[in-house]
Amino acid sequence: MIKIEDFSLAWRWISSSYGNFSKDTLNKLIPLSEDQARALIATTPINFPVGAKRFDSTEGSELTRQWLKGLVNDSQTVTICWDQETALTLPWLVFCDYYEVFEFDSSAM
């Protein structure tokens, strides 16, 4: 198991200029190993499936958070893959609250 402090993108959540997450929130982030990330990428569809819900996030951060929270209930998780070797699993509501800190070019959710 990879500790969050050892995860290559941990600076996004530890740095005061980005997320500066609480210890409690950091403990909810579960980094995947490179092998787990590769396996996930190999089985993930490249495009959105037919009927997938879409939202224009340029409408603003708060509207985007509200839309995201309306998609699933708070007991679910989401896994984010930045590339074939970098992925993280976290609670859906943590993602909804901080989605802007998790997204950047080459992210696939």
Side-chain angles (χ1 to χ4, degrees):
M1 183 172 172
I2 301 169
K3 290 195 264 182
I4 193 64
E5 297 83 9
D6 297 331
F7 189 63
S8 63
L9 299 177
W11 59 272
R12 302 278 298 180
W13 314 300
I14 295 171
S15 170
S16 60
S17 59
Y18 284 93
N20 200 20
F21 289 4
S22 69
K23 188 79 165 165
D24 182 56
T25 300
L26 286 172
N27 287 336
K28 294 175 182 176
L29 308 181
I30 304 167
L32 276 61
S33 69
E34 290 182 7
D35 288 341
Q36 290 171 313
R38 281 189 206 101
L40 183 63
I41 290 288
T43 61
T44 302
I46 294 173
N47 298 311
F48 280 101
V50 173
K53 295 181 180 181
R54 295 175 186 244
F55 180 80
D56 180 0
S57 63
T58 61
E59 295 293 322
S61 297
E62 192 52 41
L63 285 176
T64 301
R65 275 187 202 86
Q66 290 173 10
W67 181 79
L68 286 168
K69 287 180 179 180
L71 292 177
V72 295
N73 69 47
D74 60 2
S75 66
Q76 295 184 338
T77 61
V78 63
T79 300
I80 304 169
C81 299
W82 286 272
D83 58 39
Q84 292 188 10
E85 299 174 346
T86 312
L88 177 86
T89 296
L90 66 153
W92 178 249
L93 285 182
V94 171
F95 174 75
C96 292
D97 288 340
Y98 300 101
Y99 78 93
E100 294 167 305
V101 179
F102 290 102
E103 69 177 0
F104 60 89
D105 290 341
S106 78
S107 295
M109 293 179 279

